[in-house]
Amino acid sequence: MSDIDKIDRRILSILQVDGRIAAVELAERIGLSPTTTGERLKRLQKDGYIEGFGARLAPQRLGFGLLVFVEVLLDKTTHDVFDRFTAAVRRAPEVLECHMVAGGFDYLVKTRVADMASYRRFLGDVLLPLPGVRETRTYAVMEEVKSDAPLPL
């Protein structure tokens, strides 16, 4: 982050909390003109500091009340198996996030489903058939204590 200054960090901090802030209000809050603020915002987007904008939806209201994390252990840890698993998991819309990790398993998968019966279907129909999957461990979330926190800029 050496090529951004304190003002850029302030812009990013504000946008993390309120991505729909009006350009004029953003400019007022950081103490610059709307034109200068707009130029900085465009540069931050162009340089990849801002990946996009979206809405945070209420999963429970939309029928996705059960949050589940799944440890995935592959049968082999070779480039070919990693590549095939990665390609397949990217095509699975039910997988919200998938991270390759170091430790006692290979990937950590995050999904949201309606209930435990829906999770069972996801596990059997989507996750276990993925290339190279040998074993899984499931962690159903009982309470979301903290999620979607902004980065500590």
Side-chain angles (χ1 to χ4, degrees):
M1 284 189 19
S2 60
D3 57 339
I4 64 172
D5 60 18
K6 286 171 46 174
I7 295 172
D8 290 335
R9 285 188 182 92
R10 179 87 173 117
I11 291 170
L12 295 173
S13 292
I14 292 168
L15 289 175
Q16 282 188 104
V17 176
D18 183 4
R20 291 181 51 146
I21 189 170
V24 172
E25 184 180 345
L26 178 61
E28 288 173 4
R29 287 184 56 187
I30 62 170
L32 293 176
S33 72
T35 302
T36 303
T37 302
E39 290 168 357
R40 282 178 175 262
L41 189 55
K42 284 179 188 172
R43 181 180 45 79
L44 290 168
Q45 289 174 302
K46 182 178 75 61
D47 291 349
Y49 290 96
I50 299 171
E51 294 181 343
F53 293 91
R56 281 190 225 130
L57 306 179
Q60 294 80 5
R61 297 284 313 248
L62 295 165
F64 297 97
L66 181 61
L67 174 60
V68 181
F69 291 92
V70 186
E71 293 178 358
V72 176
L73 181 64
L74 299 179
D75 56 8
K76 290 187 241 172
T77 53
T78 63
H79 287 293
D80 179 54
V81 174
F82 288 146
D83 291 345
R84 287 187 300 121
F85 177 85
T86 298
V89 84
R90 285 184 176 147
R91 290 189 302 268
E94 303 88 348
V95 174
L96 301 179
E97 294 181 21
C98 180
H99 305 275
M100 179 186 263
V101 296
F105 56 98
D106 300 303
Y107 291 92
L108 183 62
V109 171
K110 176 182 174 181
T111 188
R112 277 196 173 275
V113 292
D115 52 28
M116 195 53 79
S118 299
Y119 173 68
R120 172 63 184 94
R121 283 189 296 278
F122 164 77
L123 183 64
D125 296 345
V126 177
L127 199 57
L128 291 176
L130 291 176
V133 173
R134 181 175 91 194
E135 185 179 317
T136 64
R137 286 189 191 87
T138 299
Y139 301 92
V141 174
M142 295 179 358
E143 178 183 0
E144 289 182 63
V145 177
K146 184 176 181 180
S147 63
D148 293 329
L151 295 173
L153 298 175

